[in-house]
Structure formats: structure tokens, C-alpha cells
Amino acid sequence: MRTLCQEESINVPKGIKITIKSKNVEVTGKHGSLKRNFKHLPIELWLANGGKEVRARMYFAKSKQLSMLRSVCSHISNLFDGVEKKFEYKMRLVYAHFPINANIVNGGKTLELRNFLGEKIVRTVHMLPGVVIEKSASTKDELVVTGSDIELCGRSAALIHQSCLVKDKDIRKFLDGVYVSSHGTKEE
């Protein structure tokens, strides 16, 4: 069953500037500006109410295809949160015997991990553009990944996690690694 016309809307928060031109969305706030391209989706995107809300519309879609409307609205609200508050991923260094040594070099753009399971190899992880990593001031063995783009932050956290995977051992017993303990927007 196809739906004739479906619409979703999302309000633009105060102090945020947004421009939409042929499905290219650019959002500007106090933490810089973010761009996102929705040209691959068969939807209409425009600003309504004098630029106070973003509307997404779709014609003749099946229920599975209608789900992309809500997804687009979620992506745009993540852009709003990013330029307003920034995203942060907290990661914990977990080890049973050999303490993992984490060094932040290159001004928070690169992470070096040493002594993982007692291995001599140095694991180097480069953060994606616009993402900064630092050691937590309050908690021991905690890293904080921050940035305004949620996708780049999440991917940087994933790169760190994947750099320390245990190979050729029973992973139920060898739980060492770097794990995301919490994530969300940064509280000022």
C-alpha cells in the first residue's frame, strides 16, 4: 500500500542558522558549521514558518520508504545538537593484567596505545577531521572523544575500539580492550 503524501517537520532551535539548497543542508551555530547532503533520497526538503522549522515530504511511498523521513529529521537534529553542544564519547581502558598505556600526541589528533596484552607493538589511531581526544581529568583510564559531527565522533571511537581487539584467544576470558562506556551531547 502506497501512501499518497507523508510529511515530517522539525523545529530549528534559537541561535542556529540553517540553509537548505537542493537537499544540501548547512547548519551553523556556536561550535562551527556542519554540512550534510541528502541528494540520494527521493524527498522534498524545505524551510517553513519563516525559517523556524524544517519540513521533509515524500509522495507515493511504501511504509519501508517512509522511514527515511524520520531518519532525515533525526540526522538534521543531530546537526543542531552538534553545532550547539558538541558530542562526546567516553571510553574506558579495560585490562586484567597488563596495564594499557594511552598517549595523546599531535594536539589531541592522534592516540598511541602501548602494552596491550603485553605486546610490544605501538597501536596508532588517527582521529577523523574535527574530532579531538583527551584523557579524562576525573577518572583513571578514561578517554574522551569530542567533536561536533556525531558520525565522525562515533567512527573515531570505533577506530580506537577496533585497534585493540584480542586475536587468537577466548574473548570471553580475555576482556582487555578499549570500550565505549557512555556517549551523548556534552554538558556545559
Side-chain angles (χ1 to χ4, degrees):
M1 180 73 191
R2 289 176 183 272
T3 311
L4 281 180
C5 177
Q6 180 89 358
E7 204 169 281
E8 283 276 345
S9 69
I10 174 172
N11 290 323
V12 179
K14 279 196 174 77
I16 283 179
K17 202 164 136 270
I18 178 169
T19 55
I20 299 174
K21 190 163 190 281
S22 62
K23 294 191 223 176
N24 272 327
V25 180
E26 187 170 357
V27 176
T28 312
K30 65 175 181 185
H31 290 301
S33 82
L34 292 173
K35 284 192 182 108
R36 184 117 194 195
N37 187 346
F38 297 107
K39 283 203 170 166
H40 59 288
L41 299 174
I43 59 166
E44 283 182 6
L45 261 183
W46 77 99
L47 285 171
N49 283 359
K52 286 199 177 78
E53 72 173 348
V54 180
R55 289 226 177 121
R57 184 190 286 161
M58 200 172 183
Y59 296 99
F60 300 112
K62 294 181 179 164
S63 60
K64 277 272 172 73
Q65 295 159 330
L66 287 176
S67 62
M68 67 179 82
L69 283 177
R70 190 95 205 115
S71 298
V72 167
C73 289
S74 299
H75 286 317
I76 293 173
S77 80
N78 279 337
L79 296 182
F80 291 153
D81 285 348
V83 295
E84 206 174 17
K85 305 173 197 157
K86 279 200 171 182
F87 289 98
E88 73 173 359
Y89 280 69
K90 290 186 175 167
M91 305 188 78
R92 298 297 296 265
L93 305 172
V94 178
Y95 50 84
H97 187 276
F98 294 103
I100 302 171
N101 186 324
N103 261 349
I104 292 158
V105 292
N106 205 354
K109 291 209 166 46
T110 309
L111 173 72
E112 288 178 350
L113 294 160
R114 287 184 173 79
N115 201 31
F116 172 70
L117 290 181
E119 294 172 8
K120 290 280 176 236
I121 184 172
V122 177
R123 291 166 163 79
T124 309
V125 185
H126 299 288
M127 296 296 106
L128 295 165
V131 180
V132 175
I133 185 165
E134 62 221 353
K135 281 188 176 174
S136 171
S138 52
T139 320
K140 180 180 173 276
D141 290 335
E142 188 173 66
L143 303 169
V144 184
V145 179
T146 49
S148 51
D149 191 331
I150 190 171
E151 305 237 334
L152 296 178
C153 274
R155 276 170 55 201
S156 297
L159 287 172
I160 295 167
H161 173 72
Q162 287 175 335
S163 72
C164 283
L165 295 177
V166 180
K167 306 281 193 218
D168 303 327
K169 291 185 178 63
D170 185 353
I171 55 168
R172 294 169 300 181
K173 177 72 178 160
F174 291 84
L175 299 169
D176 297 29
V178 187
Y179 297 95
V180 174
S181 58
S182 70
H183 64 90
T185 52
K186 201 170 173 183
E187 276 90 37
E188 248 85 274

